[in-house]
Amino acid sequence: VATSVGIAAILVTAGRADSATVIENYPSTPNAVVPDNNLSGLVDTINVTTAMTTIDKVTVTIETTGGWTGDLYAYLYHDGVTSILLNRTSLTAATPAGSSASGITLSLEDAASTDIHDVAAGTSPIVGSFQPDGRNVSPLTADDTSARTTSLADFIGAAAGGDWSLFIADVAGGDEATLVSWSVSLTGDVVPEPSVGILAALGLLAAFRRRR
């Protein structure tokens, strides 16, 4: 009996697998026009199927062409959580039209050093890594003094799988922007399949039975 218990313990131990941290990137290329001066905006959804068990970090990339970046409002939505990515970039009391940039190629992550809203109004195109805007207020009233109450860290603890949706709108009149592409990158833990350990333990069990 003691020997059988020992073999059972080997099976349990060998079958247990430590988690591994991975980064998974999910892109979309809608190449779609964002309706000009229209709060209804455009929604594009990425369906994620993953073995990731926990989310440690979320990064979003956005590429647009045309239009005016200071007109754009965008957020990421997943699993009941909303994070504001863009909210009238560069709009302040001194620059009420916001950024005059035409086209952006952005990586948005909480660990970046600069708030995307604080980019100088004359910078064009806007390229690089920035913190998401985070100002969860109407794009019709947002400016640099609005409180930043959301971040991509809000997704930590959410289920990794399912629909991740980008909403983007052009809320002022002028030229049309095009959402060329975007992506969501997830960093988190995956538990590897324990098949190797289980097979090894089963081999020990078979050898024991042959000896009997």
Side-chain angles (χ1 to χ4, degrees):
V1 175
T3 305
S4 298
V5 171
I7 291 172
I10 290 172
L11 282 168
V12 172
T13 303
R16 188 168 55 237
D18 293 330
S19 63
T21 299
V22 298
I23 301 173
E24 298 177 353
N25 189 58
Y26 299 90
S28 178
T29 53
N31 201 33
V33 171
V34 180
D36 185 43
N37 197 22
N38 189 333
L39 288 169
S40 297
L42 168 72
V43 178
D44 192 68
T45 297
I46 297 171
N47 182 263
V48 170
T49 301
T50 179
M52 190 176 293
T53 54
T54 59
I55 297 174
D56 298 325
K57 178 182 177 183
V58 176
T59 301
V60 180
T61 66
I62 301 177
E63 180 186 2
T64 70
T65 58
W68 302 101
T69 303
D71 293 352
L72 298 181
Y73 170 74
Y75 62 77
L76 181 67
Y77 179 81
H78 168 70
D79 199 32
V81 178
T82 299
S83 180
I84 308 301
L85 305 177
L86 304 172
N87 198 347
R88 312 297 303 277
T89 297
S90 308
L91 193 153
T92 68
T95 55
S99 172
S100 59
S102 181
I104 56 175
T105 304
L106 303 179
S107 175
L108 298 168
E109 56 180 322
D110 292 338
S113 59
T114 303
D115 172 7
I116 183 59
H117 197 99
D118 293 338
V119 174
T123 303
S124 183
I126 302 176
V127 177
S129 179
F130 300 90
Q131 299 167 11
D133 191 292
R135 293 164 177 82
N136 191 18
V137 296
S138 167
L140 301 180
T141 60
D143 64 18
D144 58 321
T145 65
S146 302
R148 301 176 73 196
T149 58
T150 73
S151 73
L152 291 169
D154 295 342
F155 293 109
I156 293 176
D163 287 344
W164 291 79
S165 297
L166 176 71
F167 172 87
I168 184 168
D170 181 320
V171 301
D175 295 336
E176 289 181 332
T178 296
L179 176 63
V180 178
S181 66
W182 74 283
S183 70
V184 59
S185 177
L186 307 176
T187 301
D189 295 333
V190 173
V191 177
E193 292 293 332
S195 56
V196 174
I198 290 175
L199 288 174
L202 288 174
L204 289 174
L205 180 59
F208 168 76
R209 285 177 173 170
R210 283 197 298 271
R211 285 199 300 272
R212 294 184 64 187

